[in-house]
Structures are given as C-alpha cells and as structure tokens.
Amino acid sequence: MTTDTFSITMTASLPAFTDYESFSPWRADAAQWLPIAHDIARGHGLACTAPHVFATGTNLVLALDENLILKIFPPLLRDQFVSERGALAQLQGRIRLAIPEIVVEGERDGWPYLVFTRLSGELGADVWPSLPEADKERVLAEIGETIAEVQRAPVGPLGQIEPGWNVFMRRQIDGCRARHARLGLPQKFLDGFDDLLRDAVALTALDGSPVILTGEYIPENFLLSRGTAGWHLAGLFDFGDVMTGRGEYDLLGPSAFMTAGMPRRVRSLFEGFGYSAADVTPDLKRRLMALMLLHRASDPLRHFCIEGWQQKATDLHELQDLLWPI
C-alpha cells in the first residue's frame, strides 16, 4: 500500500457545517461538491473516467472509475475518517474477505478524504431479498465467520478510539428508554426496560479484551458474488463506525436485518461465529436483547425484519425468543 499525503493547491473551497442537519441536504445535491471531488482526483493524478455518486450513506462518496472510490468526510464526522482509515490499515492482510485498500489520503479545507480500491461484487442490499433460502443460510454463516475473523485480529491503534466501550455503554444506557419511546416502541416493550436497564452494565460488560467491532454487518455494507455453488460473501466495506468492545455486539446487525427469526438462519450465523445451539442460552439471549436495544442505530420498528413481530411478542422476553429461536 502507498499513501500520498501531499497538499494540493486548488481554488474551490468546501463549506463549513456545524451540524449534520445542515450538511445532509448539501451532500444530497452532488452538483455542489462534484467539481471539488474531481479537483482532488486530478491533484493526485487519478483518472475520473466513469464518475458515479453513491447517493446513500453519510459522507461524500464517488466512484472515480471501475477501480477507485473517493470518500470525503466533513469535519464534524472526522471520527469516522479516523475509524475507517485505522480499520482498513489494521485489517489489511489479516482477514480472508476482500476489503478496500487505501491508495491516497489527504485533506481539503479541513475535510479529510481517502481514495481506496473498489471491490467487485453485487451490493448485498440489491441481491439479498431474492436469494434462495440455502444461499441466505450460507451467506449468514460466512458473515458469522467474518465477524469472528475480524475479532481475532489485533486491536492495535483502534483501541484508542473514543469513547471506550464502558463509557459508550453507559451513555447508551442513560438515553435508552427516552430514545425508544421517541421512536415509537410500543409500551408493552417499554414496560420491561426497568429490569433490563438495571442489569445492563453487568450484561454488557467485557468478558475479556475488547475486539474490533464494525457495528454494521448489514446488506448495505457487503458485496456478494455468484459461483457454481451459489451466492457467497465477496467483500466488506464502510468502516466509519468501527470501535472496540464486546464481540456479540456485531451479531446484532444480521439478527435485525437478515435472520428474520428463522431458526436455520440464526443457527447459520451463530455457528459461523463459533457458537453452537447449546451456547444460545436464555442468559445469552437476554444479553443480546440488551445490546440490541443499546446499539447506536437501534430502531426495532424500522429494522426488525420479522413480519408482525409486534403482535407475535407480548414483552421483551418473548421478543428475544422471537429474534433468536434456537
């Protein structure tokens, strides 16, 4: 890997934003920032022959061509730049699954950016809904294996990312009930929060050294490819939310978006991760339920992919059995 951090003299300037609410509509109008992205590419001698703006996501993301991606981070999201750069460097060569490789890094008007290699494959979000069930189970097993492999990698400098796990969890615990009430979680589930939050510090405590977490093993962040035996996991990207902490936290994304409360899917994910059916005890389910509600992106009404789950479960205990039915 080569990294070029030289400064570039350019005329157009990126604006300053004080909050994401004002940045988001500006980001959505690509005409506002595309000329600057082209400038950055030219300044590094990179071709921009087939530019393609990725409309989803949080930062400014542009495919320069079939081989390279430019990602520009606003200063208010600099922590995502730090996480992404650090995670890509730390995991390079340490996991079997393809991840982007940094080619260039730099800064423009206080906005850090990365240029990294573009992975091949089909976006999981586009392919996942139509996959045969056997392929879904296979992909979930491969996701579990990838999570475990990432978590076996040394934490290295990522261990310095703030806030640390314990501080992060206490913040999430403090705001948990208010967050879910605001998001519209039915009262019958909120009624169980007191007991769960009373034990949340113990439930979420580290049971060993912290491991690397992405927090987002979801279809929007991985690529799939089709081989003779069916569909497989082909690549993983978007490491802007990387932190370190308790490993089970990364089982939550697939549990919310992909397993759909189906026993074979849940078993595939967990066995790939290294847990047998015997490991999925009521205590583990309760810990997973706590972590699910404390996840920084937790929003059950919009994320749980189990049809009619609000009617099928009467409280948090029944909900955890619905999510992890093994």
Side-chain angles (χ1 to χ4, degrees):
M1 179 186 76
T2 60
T3 303
D4 189 347
T5 57
F6 66 82
S7 60
I8 308 167
T9 303
M10 293 173 279
T11 54
S13 297
L14 286 161
F17 293 98
T18 57
D19 54 56
Y20 189 77
E21 288 66 32
S22 57
F23 164 68
S24 184
W26 181 87
R27 181 193 66 83
D29 182 4
Q32 299 277 351
W33 55 269
L34 262 178
I36 297 172
H38 283 234
D39 242 0
I40 292 172
R42 282 194 299 268
H44 288 286
L46 301 174
C48 191
T49 55
H52 171 73
V53 173
F54 293 96
T56 59
T58 307
N59 299 284
L60 312 180
V61 186
L62 172 73
L64 301 178
D65 54 23
E66 293 301 314
N67 300 312
L68 295 176
I69 301 284
L70 168 63
K71 189 169 186 177
I72 311 171
F73 304 76
L76 59 92
L77 297 177
R78 179 176 286 272
D79 59 335
Q80 292 195 6
F81 165 77
V82 172
S83 291
E84 182 124 28
R85 179 184 59 181
L88 290 176
Q90 189 66 15
L91 293 175
Q92 200 63 237
R94 289 190 166 101
I95 64 173
R96 290 169 293 176
L97 191 67
I99 61 172
E101 181 177 351
I102 298 173
V103 177
V104 167
E105 68 176 76
E107 190 165 305
R108 169 77 176 267
D109 303 319
W111 293 51
Y113 59 80
L114 296 170
V115 177
F116 43 72
T117 53
R118 187 175 184 178
L119 306 178
S120 60
E122 301 290 328
L123 183 65
D126 295 336
V127 178
W128 176 259
S130 62
L131 292 189
E133 191 60 30
D135 285 355
K136 287 184 176 179
E137 292 171 12
R138 182 189 306 111
V139 169
L140 280 163
E142 292 171 352
I143 289 173
E145 291 169 1
T146 299
I147 294 171
E149 194 170 24
V150 167
Q151 294 184 2
R152 287 193 295 269
V155 168
L158 297 176
Q160 304 304 312
I161 290 176
E162 296 291 343
W165 177 255
N166 290 335
V167 172
F168 171 71
M169 273 292 120
R170 288 182 183 276
R171 288 180 185 174
Q172 295 301 102
I173 290 167
D174 289 344
C176 185
R177 174 184 283 278
R179 170 190 172 86
H180 287 288
R182 184 175 69 253
L183 292 172
L185 191 67
Q187 186 63 43
K188 63 181 179 179
F189 299 116
L190 290 172
D191 287 342
F193 271 45
D194 287 343
D195 287 342
L196 195 66
L197 294 178
R198 183 189 63 236
D199 299 332
V201 171
L203 287 170
T204 62
L206 291 173
D207 59 350
S209 299
V211 298
I212 299 173
L213 306 173
T214 79
E216 295 189 335
Y217 287 92
I218 57 176
E220 287 78 6
N221 292 340
F222 60 73
L223 299 172
L224 300 175
S225 62
R226 188 174 187 176
T228 55
W231 288 89
H232 290 271
L233 196 61
L236 183 67
F237 62 93
D238 195 351
F239 294 85
D241 289 321
V242 160
M243 57 186 291
T244 62
R246 187 170 184 127
E248 292 154 347
Y249 186 80
D250 268 350
L251 294 170
L252 305 179
S255 295
F257 287 88
M258 302 174 69
T259 56
M262 300 174 67
R264 288 176 62 92
R265 290 194 198 177
V266 174
R267 190 175 300 116
S268 295
L269 172 66
F270 279 63
E271 287 181 351
F273 182 69
Y275 282 175
S276 68
D279 293 319
V280 188
T281 62
D283 285 345
L284 174 61
K285 291 182 183 182
R286 188 163 184 259
R287 185 162 63 251
L288 289 170
M289 191 75 257
L291 288 168
M292 181 73 83
L293 295 172
L294 295 170
H295 193 286
R296 63 173 44 158
S298 182
D299 189 351
L301 293 184
R302 294 156 188 85
H303 294 166
F304 287 178
C305 63
I306 302 173
E307 186 174 354
W309 65 267
Q310 296 178 61
Q311 291 73 45
K312 293 176 181 177
T314 61
D315 56 26
L316 291 180
H317 289 286
E318 290 188 6
L319 181 56
Q320 69 191 33
D321 287 335
L322 195 63
L323 286 165
W324 300 289
I326 57 174

